[in-house]
Amino acid sequence: MDMTGDVKLVSTLDGTELCLKNGTPEFDKTLKNAVYMSLFTQENEWYSDLLPVKIGSSIDSLSEKPLNNQTRNDAIEAAKKSLAWLKTTGYASEVNVTSLIPSMRELQLNVSITKPDGNTQNMEFLIPWNKLEEEL
């Protein structure tokens, strides 16, 4: 079993799950997993195998706010900040983040990473938003 890379995480309706195979964590060396960890772990709380520094974002703290255009813009800025390491370390030549609110209960983050070789990898992340339920 290859135990190199970061623990593989997947998005669920309830948040994030650790991938297990026969009771053992799976590991993942992909850029998408590193981006996922950067976006959805608390700021300065996780070391990525790709980069020996703490990563994470403040996106989770935004979930305490109502989902509106300001929160969407704050999420874009938080995502850009959490992914800045991709450029400073040379994993990417460009990182773009956009966002939209596809429903009253979801925020969608779109991340586009241009690698140094010019190839682009696009990723989409749907974030369930619970603040609205508390206000109803």
Side-chain angles (χ1 to χ4, degrees):
M1 169 183 281
D2 182 9
M3 296 185 75
T4 59
D6 291 308
V7 176
K8 184 175 183 180
L9 302 174
V10 293
S11 179
T12 68
L13 292 175
D14 295 324
T16 301
E17 283 188 8
L18 176 72
C19 290
L20 299 173
K21 191 174 196 175
N22 298 322
T24 304
E26 289 186 53
F27 292 87
D28 189 324
K29 297 179 190 178
T30 65
L31 182 59
K32 183 170 184 173
N33 198 56
V35 168
Y36 187 90
M37 292 172 74
S38 293
L39 293 173
F40 301 111
T41 56
Q42 288 184 353
E43 202 165 18
N44 297 317
E45 292 290 324
W46 193 275
Y47 286 92
S48 170
D49 194 54
L50 285 178
L51 187 68
V53 297
K54 291 181 181 180
I55 61 173
S57 83
S58 60
I59 290 174
D60 186 53
S61 66
L62 295 174
S63 67
E64 298 300 317
K65 297 180 178 181
L67 184 56
N68 57 34
N69 202 40
Q70 182 60 54
T71 307
R72 182 185 68 80
N73 289 332
D74 291 345
I76 291 170
E77 291 308 310
K80 287 178 180 178
K81 181 180 175 188
S82 74
L83 298 174
W85 68 269
L86 292 167
K87 286 180 68 174
T88 59
T89 57
Y91 283 101
S93 58
E94 189 172 346
V95 177
N96 291 307
V97 180
T98 61
S99 180
L100 58 98
I101 302 171
S103 77
M104 294 174 57
R105 300 190 194 289
E106 289 180 314
L107 177 71
Q108 179 179 320
L109 282 178
N110 302 303
V111 177
S112 177
I113 298 171
T114 303
K115 299 176 185 176
D117 64 7
N119 289 323
T120 300
Q121 186 170 350
N122 297 309
M123 304 170 205
E124 178 182 295
F125 302 96
L126 285 174
I127 306 168
W129 215 262
N130 298 325
K131 181 65 177 173
L132 181 65
E133 293 174 11
E134 295 169 10
E135 294 177 350
L136 293 177

